[in-house]
Amino acid sequence: MIAYLTNLAALAAIFGILAATLNVAVGYAGIFSVAHAVFFGLGAYAGAQIALVLVPDALVAMLVAGLVSGVLSLCLALPALRVRGEYFVAASLGLQMMATTLFSEWKTVTGGIGGLTGIPRPHIFGVEVGTLPLALAALGLILLATAALMRGAFGRTLRSIRDAESAAEALGKNVAAAKALAVAFACAGAGVAGALFALHMQFVNVESFNLDQSVLIMAMVIIGGTGTLLGPLVGAVILLSLPAGLAFLPFIPATEVGAVQQMVYGLAMTLLMIFRPAGLVGDLSRGKSTA
Amino acid sequence: MLFIQLLLQGLQVGAIYALTAAGFALIFGATRVFHFAHGSSFALAGYVFIFAMQAGWPWWLGGLAATLAATLFGIGVFWFVYRPIQRHEGSFFTVFVAAFGVGIVVQNLIGIFAGRGFASVDTSLSRAVEVLPDVFLAQVFWVAISVACLLFAALTLFLTRHNAGVALRALHQNPDLLRAYGLSSTRLSLLAFALGSALAAPAAMVTAMTSGMNEAIGHQVMLISMAATIVGGVGSLRGAALAGLMLGVAESVALNFVDTQWAEAVSFLVLFAFIIFRPSGIFGIAQAR
Amino acid sequence: MSAPILVCEGLSRSFGGVKAVAGVSLALPAGQVTALVGPNGAGKTTVFNLITGNLRADAGSAMLRGRSIMGLAPHKVARMGVARSFQDLRLFTHMSVRDNIRTATETSAWFWQPGGATARRAREAATEEALARTGLLELAEARAIDLAYAERKFLSMARILAARAEIWLLDEPASGLDLASRLRFGALLKEARRQGVAICLIEHNLDVVTELADRIAFLDQGQVLAEGEPEAILKDPKLAAIYFGDRGEAA
Ligand SMILES: Nc1ncnc2c1ncn2[C@@H]1O[C@H](COP(=O)(O)OP(=O)(O)OP(=O)(O)O)[C@@H](O)[C@H]1O
Ligand SMILES: [Mg+2]
């Protein structure tokens, strides 16, 4: 039972990072990425390879994973600078689909469908550490950084861009740089979460990094509430405990738990958008529609 | 010969894509709703058709039921999901998330009730015969092509001749023109959703007879329709249809050079490239920014 | 009269076949209000867009204190001291009024601002001053989207005040204002003029123009038909005919 709860807590922290960083893009910058799992995956593969090939040092793995995802976030920043609204969602969907293919086909790095197995337990300077404290520390740091950034000039710049891009430009804001940086921050965070995930599961394969996962992360942000610090965390905890909760309901056959779980969050997304579009926590409305 | 085989196959797939993309583009053009649940219309139609055929219904009755299912679903989503959101000025993203939620629900409902995995209709139409040395063609190819051509002709006629059709087209170009026609925007939106969703039904039936359905197909169809609409140029039905056809062919012909898994990514590569280099699409009137 | 800060010459831009702006020359001296007047679709907003880099000019030049700003990105033009308002305001709808203004005072978007604590206090002071002068102090914590019409217009002005620019390009800032608001707006403008800001004002209401403008440039179909003292321009029957839409009589 303890092991079960520790596992759940570590996963909650990891997905909390994912949701919190996606929220920087979605809630503050108005960049509606449906490709967050891509950068989660990039970080996971990078972290796993570091641990497998180089050293099982958690800090190195997380650092490299964050770097890889942060640099490759250019793939997402590029369309974000070119287009908005539906077009950007479409571009990120396209990126997600291409990445899924890449993850399952580039077998030398990702292990293909079979994935990477036998990832060693994480160490820090040679001492073995649990993933839960590691994940909690990372989550805390990332939340602190997010709060500091979003409360300051950078956060204001992002929100001003979200609300009226041309007016932000007319006040001297470098829109391209701000967007690229927001995307890089969000993706680097996802990369760190990926490395943690790989070290925690000791096994990764493409199924954790496909469109369904991106939508799940998106749902966490949406259900919790965009543009708030704690909303995404609440969303992550709710959606992660959903399968466990459903498993206790006797009238759902075990084989259908997955499907019922997906239906519940699909339904939750739809109903929330109709009745409470700001999410459970937030009262802040999301970005305006396309120009 | 392999190339010709793939080309023909691509045309058949492309015809299916063209129909669903045209439906998606019609809805988006007229209502500005990025109908992400469009794939669900397709999936529902396909499964209704499969069930009808398994129950021994005549094909036309099955087709009618499938079309009805798609149309009702499209109208229902508009009425119960999009309209309430638009009423309190929800942004495009609110609509997107809600539609995505609907798609997830439908996919899993189908999974639970129709079973997961592959399902198809077996007819004599889908039996392939050799038409050229090493080139096999099933009759369903001709069905797909002619149905697509017929429907496009009918759609064009409707959009250019019929009063409501002209209004829909006008709406594509300039939403403000609406009042000039004295038609309510709700009724036109309903019409767009009904027509657009109905277009997905024949495509779904052909798919059910050829490559078959699975519960996740709605996702894939939605993505392709969206890709075709953007590549074709938002605001242009013809563009969407043509781009759908092209994507089908490209995907199929790519098999000549790469593995199946990579071929599926071709459409998205094309989409991604278009968004970065030419966001207004091939025939785009609407600017992306 | 002082030398103009901003000088535009031969600005041109067409959209498809439509010549929206065809060879517009304009000079904005410090401490003067130049009104840009003309019928709907004359190309007034497009002139602003060409100056600020929101649109690329087909031909022509724009010099700011002798330096060309043609082809610069909008944020660079803004950083050189050109502030503009938009006809449709483009407020930061979901930010508070104070944050809307604060954003305008921040010269860098990043984590630290130049100038340290002194500069930070100066920014806060500028924010509060802009709030006070536009009468928005009580509404400082309200979201922009919740403001009434006139308040929105003043928020748009407050952003410009706070930006401390030496050139203001104002796109119909007074349209639809009631008399009291218009007086307050007039006072704002006169104060800025006194401080030496070069102001270009697009305005349809000729009473406002008469009261505030030092010079008028009359724009029609992308061309400056006349430029000069308000009295001379406003008395010209030909221009009046164009302005009030009797194109047939004018010809
Ligand atoms: N981005 C654009 N694309 C295409 N045409 C444009 C664009 N911007 C302006 N135009 C056209 O240029 C012409 C001038 O427009 P502009 O907005 O500058 O007029 P204006 O003088 O500001 O009018 P108003 O008083 O109505 O604001 C119009 O015919 C308009 O349709
Ligand atoms: Mg204008």
Side-chain angles (χ1 to χ4, degrees):
Chain A
M1 192 64 195
I2 296 284
Y4 172 80
L5 283 181
T6 325
N7 175 43
L8 197 63
L11 282 179
I14 290 170
F15 277 86
I17 297 176
L18 285 174
T21 50
L22 180 61
N23 182 39
V24 171
V26 171
Y28 290 92
I31 298 171
F32 299 109
S33 162
V34 201
H36 214 47
V38 172
F39 300 93
F40 184 45
L42 287 171
Y45 289 125
Q49 289 290 3
I50 291 284
L52 281 169
V53 181
L54 218 57
V55 285
D57 190 299
L59 293 183
V60 177
M62 281 156 69
L63 199 72
V64 172
L67 266 178
V68 167
S69 294
V71 169
L72 288 176
S73 75
L74 267 181
C75 300
L76 199 61
L78 218 58
L81 299 180
R82 294 280 293 166
V83 294
R84 277 184 276 204
E86 292 92 343
Y87 289 78
F88 178 75
V89 170
S92 69
L93 281 171
L95 184 67
Q96 172 69 62
M97 301 311 284
M98 288 191 289
T100 310
T101 309
L102 190 74
F103 289 163
S104 46
E105 296 306 308
W106 195 15
K107 301 202 170 67
T108 44
V109 174
T110 66
I113 307 278
L116 298 173
T117 52
I119 301 166
R121 300 215 122 270
H123 290 65
I124 288 184
F125 305 124
V127 184
E128 188 171 325
V129 289
T131 38
L132 178 60
L134 215 56
L136 284 177
L139 175 65
L141 277 179
I142 285 178
L143 281 183
L144 272 180
T146 311
L149 276 181
M150 294 309 125
R151 214 170 313 122
F154 186 53
R156 267 192 294 281
T157 300
L158 288 186
R159 286 186 290 147
S160 69
I161 290 172
R162 174 197 67 190
D163 285 353
E165 191 168 315
S166 49
E169 265 182 324
L171 292 175
K173 309 299 179 208
N174 187 342
V175 170
K179 276 189 175 176
L181 199 75
V183 170
F185 178 79
C187 292
V192 170
L196 281 165
F197 184 71
L199 294 172
H200 177 68
M201 305 299 283
Q202 299 181 279
F203 159 77
V204 289
N205 81 346
V206 60
E207 284 187 3
S208 308
F209 315 122
N210 56 17
L211 178 60
D212 285 345
Q213 188 80 302
S214 276
V215 172
L216 176 68
I217 304 169
M218 180 61 88
M220 291 171 174
V221 177
I222 301 284
I223 288 174
T226 54
T228 60
L229 195 62
L230 291 181
L233 286 189
V234 173
V237 171
I238 291 179
L239 285 191
L240 281 180
S241 22
L242 203 59
L246 290 175
F248 287 119
L249 296 179
F251 50 87
I252 300 173
T255 48
E256 304 292 358
V257 166
V260 172
Q261 175 204 352
Q262 287 208 351
M263 268 170 53
V264 168
Y265 82 67
L267 204 62
M269 277 160 77
T270 307
L271 292 179
L272 269 176
M273 288 306 100
I274 299 175
F275 297 110
R276 198 176 154 73
L280 294 178
V281 175
D283 71 338
L284 199 99
S285 313
R286 67 202 74 259
K288 291 278 287 183
S289 79
T290 41
Chain B
M1 277 309 111
L2 179 64
F3 182 78
I4 295 185
Q5 177 76 53
L6 290 174
L7 187 69
L8 291 176
Q9 219 166 301
L11 281 176
Q12 182 183 319
V13 175
I16 292 169
Y17 287 175
L19 282 172
T20 50
F24 186 86
L26 182 74
I27 292 170
F28 183 60
T31 66
R32 292 285 127 185
V33 170
F34 224 57
H35 182 31
F36 273 92
H38 189 53
S40 304
S41 289
F42 179 92
L44 280 176
Y47 274 94
V48 166
F49 187 64
I50 291 175
F51 279 131
M53 298 316 274
Q54 281 170 354
W57 294 15
W59 69 268
W60 58 268
L61 196 59
L64 207 65
T67 311
L68 209 64
T71 310
L72 285 181
F73 178 78
I75 291 180
V77 173
F78 166 67
W79 198 260
F80 295 110
V81 180
Y82 300 148
R83 213 175 50 114
I85 294 176
Q86 283 182 327
R87 255 210 237 115
H88 43 75
E89 292 181 55
S91 71
F92 94 90
F93 194 67
T94 321
V95 170
F96 164 75
V97 173
F100 219 105
V102 171
I104 292 173
V105 171
V106 170
Q107 173 178 339
N108 287 287
L109 277 179
I110 290 177
I112 290 174
F113 290 107
R116 274 169 275 275
F118 185 76
S120 71
V121 174
D122 209 17
T123 71
S124 57
L125 287 179
S126 39
R127 219 149 297 142
V129 288
E130 195 165 16
V131 286
L132 283 172
D134 278 335
V135 175
F136 294 86
L137 209 57
Q139 272 174 312
V140 78
F141 172 82
W142 300 111
V143 175
I145 302 291
S146 42
V147 163
C149 291
L150 219 71
L151 282 175
F152 277 116
L155 191 64
T156 312
L157 225 67
F158 174 74
L159 290 178
T160 48
R161 296 290 160 78
H162 194 277
N163 194 21
V166 176
L168 272 187
R169 226 158 37 105
L171 217 53
H172 272 239
Q173 262 117 47
N174 185 354
D176 296 331
L177 284 181
L178 188 74
R179 265 159 258 123
Y181 284 89
L183 286 161
S184 87
S185 104
T186 309
R187 273 174 54 197
L188 272 183
S189 298
L190 278 175
L191 179 65
F193 270 91
L195 265 181
S197 305
L199 281 178
M205 290 184 263
V206 172
T207 308
M209 286 190 282
T210 51
S211 49
M213 311 287 283
N214 61 55
E215 80 281 358
I217 202 164
H219 242 69
Q220 200 184 324
V221 166
M222 171 270 280
L223 290 169
I224 294 283
S225 307
M226 177 199 71
T229 300
I230 288 179
V231 169
V234 168
S236 164
L237 263 185
R238 199 169 32 123
L242 211 65
L245 192 67
M246 265 173 37
L247 289 182
V249 172
E251 220 174 72
S252 187
V253 170
L255 283 175
N256 207 4
F257 309 101
V258 293
D259 281 348
T260 331
Q261 296 86 334
W262 292 105
E264 277 173 8
V266 166
S267 288
F268 300 109
L269 190 66
V270 173
L271 167 69
F272 200 73
F274 258 91
I275 287 182
I276 289 182
F277 297 111
R278 195 178 156 78
S280 56
I282 307 175
F283 296 104
I285 359 171
Q287 270 289 320
R289 318 196 39 136
Chain C
M1 191 180 93
S2 59
I5 305 182
L6 182 80
V7 181
C8 308
E9 260 164 48
L11 284 181
S12 302
R13 168 73 198 227
S14 29
F15 298 105
V18 183
K19 279 193 175 171
V21 173
V24 165
S25 299
L26 200 66
L28 302 180
Q32 276 208 19
V33 177
T34 309
L36 207 51
V37 178
N40 288 109
K44 306 180 292 293
T45 302
T46 307
V47 169
F48 277 11
N49 283 334
L50 292 176
I51 295 173
T52 56
N54 287 78
L55 285 173
R56 210 161 266 280
D58 297 334
S61 69
M63 310 287 268
L64 181 66
R65 292 197 185 283
R67 283 176 60 195
S68 172
I69 53 170
M70 274 291 97
L72 289 187
H75 72 270
K76 294 211 172 118
V77 176
R79 286 179 191 180
M80 290 174 74
V82 181
R84 75 170 291 184
S85 74
F86 295 88
Q87 206 166 338
D88 53 357
L89 301 184
R90 307 193 189 173
L91 303 176
F92 306 133
T93 41
H94 295 287
M95 293 166 68
S96 72
V97 166
R98 184 175 268 123
D99 273 354
N100 262 271
I101 301 173
R102 218 177 245 156
T103 307
T105 64
E106 283 159 348
T107 45
S108 150
W110 313 114
F111 323 111
W112 51 87
Q113 305 283 322
T118 336
R120 190 177 63 238
R121 272 194 298 277
R123 284 198 308 276
E124 285 306 308
T127 305
E128 296 309 313
E129 189 197 330
L131 277 171
R133 281 175 60 189
T134 50
L136 291 171
L137 261 181
E138 260 111 80
L139 294 164
E141 298 309 321
R143 290 189 312 174
I145 198 172
D146 297 327
L147 296 182
Y149 179 80
E151 292 156 3
R152 291 183 192 197
K153 292 225 129 180
F154 277 109
L155 177 52
S156 165
M157 283 308 297
R159 283 198 310 205
I160 289 183
L161 274 173
R164 305 269 148 135
E166 52 178 357
I167 295 175
W168 289 6
L169 307 177
L170 307 179
D171 201 343
E172 305 196 13
S175 69
L177 290 184
D178 57 276
L179 191 60
S181 302
R182 230 160 64 199
L183 287 176
R184 161 173 256 148
F185 169 75
L188 271 182
L189 217 61
K190 283 174 188 158
E191 171 66 14
R193 171 169 60 187
R194 203 182 51 72
Q195 290 172 352
V197 179
I199 299 171
C200 186
L201 172 73
I202 296 178
E203 180 54 59
H204 280 293
N205 185 333
L206 296 182
D207 292 337
V208 175
V209 172
T210 320
E211 194 209 327
L212 296 173
D214 300 300
R215 297 177 63 74
I216 292 183
F218 190 97
L219 205 64
D220 184 39
Q221 300 189 342
Q223 286 175 314
V224 180
L225 291 192
E227 201 189 341
E229 305 280 313
E231 292 78 39
I233 303 281
L234 292 179
K235 273 195 203 117
D236 189 328
K238 248 200 236 148
L239 298 179
I242 293 177
Y243 190 75
F244 293 109
D246 299 327
R247 213 168 279 282
E249 262 172 56

